[in-house]
Amino acid sequence: VASATPLAADGSVETTKLAVHARHLFAKGVDGIVLFGTTGEGTSFNVGERVATVEAVLKAGVPAERIGIGGGFPAISDSIALTRAVLGLGLRHVLLLPPYFDRSASPEGIEDAFAAIIDGVADDRLRASLYHIPQVSGVAIPTGVAANLRRRYGKLVAGLKDSSGDFKQFQAFRAAAPDLAITVGNEADIGRAIAAGGAGTICGMANVVPELVKAMVDGKDVETRMQAAIDVVLKTPSFLTTLKAILAAQT
């Protein structure tokens, strides 16, 4: 689950509510949570805030092995600092955006940036997933870059999350880097992505309909129900605002 982040009125993270949310999701059959991804509004939080939240959630009893974290920043040094810190807390899975804002970066530059993060962290415990969401970040991850990084770093570059919403893009990543565990962000594609060799999903809708997501992962024919749920959220002005409103109503 790309977990939503419950906030207090001052913008700080309500860590107790976040831990309760995680345990609720685990009870529904979810494998793990990713904190501070796109759905978690991760780019609005600095290194210290993200690390403090992880510490609090761990203290509340959420197992480290079931937590991943968004580690994307425009500054490479911030990605390194966050990743080192969470590895020290027992997490292994870090979702890495390419450094964003400069949309003219070349494929070589994007690869160099990821390499600088991995080399800077210098820890064999790392299991990084590259995060492809160009319609939001403005910086795409070329398929060749994904393949090259897997060849260079092996299991340290464990996966790639394709949130492009374009199934042909997912297929291109699978063809270019078949050893990567590729997850999809577009819930409607979960079933056919797994059938095509995908590793599963990291998605926002699992916050509110985890049973539907689990059913899709298990190969059940619930795509129509999932699309109806997606349509409810997408027809509103803000996915995040609506998602949080649904969570508030549910809890």
Side-chain angles (χ1 to χ4, degrees):
V1 180
S3 178
T5 306
L7 301 177
D10 65 358
S12 62
V13 180
E14 291 267 22
T15 54
T16 300
K17 288 182 180 179
L18 182 55
V20 169
H21 182 50
R23 286 194 291 269
H24 164 77
L25 293 170
F26 295 154
K28 296 289 186 179
V30 163
D31 296 309
I33 58 169
V34 174
L35 305 178
F36 298 119
T38 302
T39 302
E41 302 171 88
T43 54
S44 296
F45 297 91
N46 63 33
V47 173
E49 289 170 317
R50 297 190 210 189
V51 173
T53 298
V54 170
E55 289 174 333
V57 169
L58 290 172
K59 188 175 181 180
V62 180
E65 62 269 19
R66 300 185 80 170
I67 304 172
I69 189 167
F73 296 90
I76 287 171
S77 56
D78 283 341
S79 289
I80 293 170
L82 177 83
T83 302
R84 283 178 173 172
V86 298
L87 288 171
L89 293 171
L91 277 65
R92 303 187 77 183
H93 298 282
V94 181
L95 199 63
L96 293 174
L97 285 165
Y100 49 90
F101 184 79
D102 182 356
R103 302 187 179 199
S104 66
S106 67
E108 294 81 9
I110 293 168
E111 183 174 336
D112 286 347
F114 279 124
I117 295 169
I118 297 165
D119 291 341
V121 171
D123 193 322
D124 288 341
R125 293 175 295 180
L126 175 63
R127 296 295 180 266
S129 285
L130 312 177
Y131 188 12
H132 179 74
I133 185 166
Q135 71 275 24
V136 176
S137 69
V139 181
I141 299 174
T143 55
V145 168
N148 289 345
L149 288 167
R150 175 66 183 194
R151 279 194 292 268
R152 289 174 65 176
Y153 293 103
K155 62 187 179 182
L156 272 66
V157 180
L160 181 144
K161 182 189 176 189
D162 176 27
S163 288
S164 66
D166 179 357
F167 194 69
K168 289 182 179 178
Q169 179 66 68
F170 166 85
Q171 292 173 313
F173 281 126
R174 282 284 301 143
D179 291 338
L180 283 178
I182 301 180
T183 53
V184 290
N186 182 23
E187 293 86 355
D189 286 336
I190 292 171
R192 61 175 176 165
I194 291 174
T201 183
I202 301 172
C203 66
M205 288 296 291
N207 285 279
V208 293
V209 285
E211 299 93 340
L212 277 183
V213 174
K214 184 71 164 55
M216 293 189 82
V217 170
D218 292 341
K220 297 176 183 176
D221 185 15
V222 295
E223 187 172 320
T224 301
R225 289 175 60 198
M226 175 58 81
Q227 190 60 59
I230 294 169
D231 288 345
V232 168
V233 179
L234 292 185
K235 287 177 181 175
T236 67
S238 167
F239 171 78
L240 282 173
T241 304
T242 303
L243 192 74
K244 285 190 169 184
I246 294 170
L247 282 168
Q250 287 179 335
T251 61

